[in-house]
């Protein structure tokens, strides 16, 4: 993954993408125990426009350097990477507030645990609920911060519903 | 819940906490091992036969 991030950092330095943040299962692994995943989700901002059309320079840049496109992924140094533009205000905020880290000596940015939780709640697939439960059990969430994010993005009712469904009797 | 089961669950919880506390770079190495195992399982003839049988 170190080599993968080096390619992505170079792509950023070359002006193909703006800022980026790691989300999904790899992002969650920053805070939790590692979980098996085959892909890396990279949320990206574009320097000019957030349009889907702006994805083509990314594919052109990477394929010209020998990286292979496969379905919705591009294989970079043995990791399938999916580049995703922010789909809504929550994801935009998650990107803006991502935390800087390093994998060995390579810089990277990872979404906060609270934003990953809020995005999982918004997405609401079975695996997202499972991830939220891992965050809760791991004790990594700042409750006030999470509450503010959920409130800002209209997710409080959904959070309450999640609690009734999965946490009832466990508190 | 039996005492034996309680100990198993407690041991699993401790293992998860130990893994979560590792440096990110170490966790990434574990992710890569997990990914390689998942790929091996996905391409195993046994897995493919099982998928064909539904």
């Amino acid at each position: 993954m170190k080599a993968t991030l080096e390619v992505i950092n170079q792509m950023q330095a070359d002006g193909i993408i703006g800022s980026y943040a790691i989300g999904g299962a790899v992002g969650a692994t920053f805070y939790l125990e590692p979980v098996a995943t085959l892909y890396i989700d990279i949320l990206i901002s574009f320097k000019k426009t957030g349009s889907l059309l702006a994805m083509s320079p990314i594919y052109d840049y990477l394929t010209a350097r020998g990286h292979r496109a496969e379905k919705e992924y591009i294989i970079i140094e043995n990791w399938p990477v999916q580049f995703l533009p922010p789909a809504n205000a929550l994801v935009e905020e998650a990107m803006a507030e991502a935390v800087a880290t390093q994998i060995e000596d390579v810089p990277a940015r990872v979404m906060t645990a609270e934003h990953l939780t809020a995005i999982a709640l918004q997405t609401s697939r079975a695996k997202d609920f499972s991830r939220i439960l891992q965050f809760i059990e791991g004790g990594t969430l700042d409750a006030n911060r999470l509450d503010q994010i959920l409130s800002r993005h209209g997710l409080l009712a959904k959070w309450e519903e999640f609690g009734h469904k999965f946490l009832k009797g466990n508190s | 819940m039996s005492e034996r089961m309680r100990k198993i669950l407690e041991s699993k919880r401790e293992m998860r906490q130990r893994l979560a506390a590792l440096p990110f770079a170490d966790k990434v190495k574990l992710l890569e091992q997990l990914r390689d195992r998942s790929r091996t399982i996905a391409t195993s003839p046994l897995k493919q036969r099982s998928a064909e049988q539904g």
Side-chain angles (χ1 to χ4, degrees):
Chain A
M1 192 178 297
K2 180 186 169 191
T4 309
L5 289 169
E6 281 172 337
V7 171
I8 294 168
N9 287 340
Q10 188 58 51
M11 187 163 64
Q12 185 184 23
D14 290 342
I16 305 299
I17 57 171
S19 62
Y20 75 88
I22 303 171
V26 176
T29 294
F30 186 63
Y31 306 95
L32 303 170
E33 73 273 19
V35 288
T37 183
L38 295 170
Y39 315 103
I40 307 176
D41 291 335
I42 301 281
L43 278 296
I44 48 170
S45 69
F46 297 102
K47 289 208 163 158
K48 292 176 187 165
T49 158
S51 146
L52 279 174
L53 292 173
M55 294 298 280
S56 60
I58 296 174
Y59 281 76
D60 294 346
Y61 177 94
L62 290 169
T63 52
R65 284 158 180 79
H67 305 289
R68 181 169 45 91
E70 193 179 290
K71 296 181 184 169
E72 65 270 43
Y73 302 97
I74 301 182
I75 316 297
I76 306 175
E77 303 295 338
N78 211 23
W79 272 100
V81 179
Q82 185 168 29
F83 292 97
L84 301 160
N88 55 44
L90 171 60
V91 183
E92 276 176 23
E93 182 183 282
M95 283 189 55
E97 297 183 15
V99 293
T101 184
Q102 288 202 332
I103 295 177
E104 296 176 44
D105 54 344
V106 179
R109 293 177 78 242
V110 180
M111 291 181 177
T112 68
E114 293 78 18
H115 279 109
L116 286 165
T117 301
I119 291 169
L121 183 70
Q122 194 175 57
T123 312
S124 289
R125 296 162 300 181
K127 67 177 182 179
D128 297 306
F129 292 141
S130 168
R131 188 170 299 153
I132 296 170
L133 290 169
Q134 279 182 286
F135 272 118
I136 293 169
E137 189 182 297
T140 50
L141 296 170
D142 178 325
N144 285 335
R145 186 175 157 82
L146 177 62
D147 205 46
Q148 286 167 14
I149 294 169
L150 296 175
S151 172
R152 262 199 306 279
H153 297 283
L155 290 167
L156 283 174
K158 212 166 184 179
W159 181 249
E160 202 166 319
E161 193 184 321
F162 173 85
H164 279 300
K165 203 167 179 180
F166 296 105
L167 304 173
K168 208 173 175 182
N170 287 341
S171 56
Chain B
M1 185 190 301
S2 70
E3 181 63 14
R4 180 175 160 74
M5 184 55 78
R6 195 193 60 73
K7 281 185 179 166
I8 289 170
L9 292 176
E10 184 55 35
S11 163
K12 279 173 166 274
R13 191 173 299 121
E14 282 172 11
M15 169 66 94
R16 285 200 298 271
Q17 285 169 351
R18 269 204 308 278
L19 290 171
L22 290 172
F24 191 37
D26 292 352
K27 290 198 267 187
V28 163
K29 284 177 190 153
L30 291 173
L31 269 185
E32 286 170 344
Q33 288 173 17
L34 287 168
R35 177 204 57 191
D36 293 343
R37 281 184 206 171
S38 298
R39 282 181 183 165
T40 304
I41 291 167
T43 55
S44 145
L46 283 174
K47 168 88 176 175
Q48 286 165 358
R49 202 177 309 151
S50 150
E52 281 165 16
Q53 288 168 354

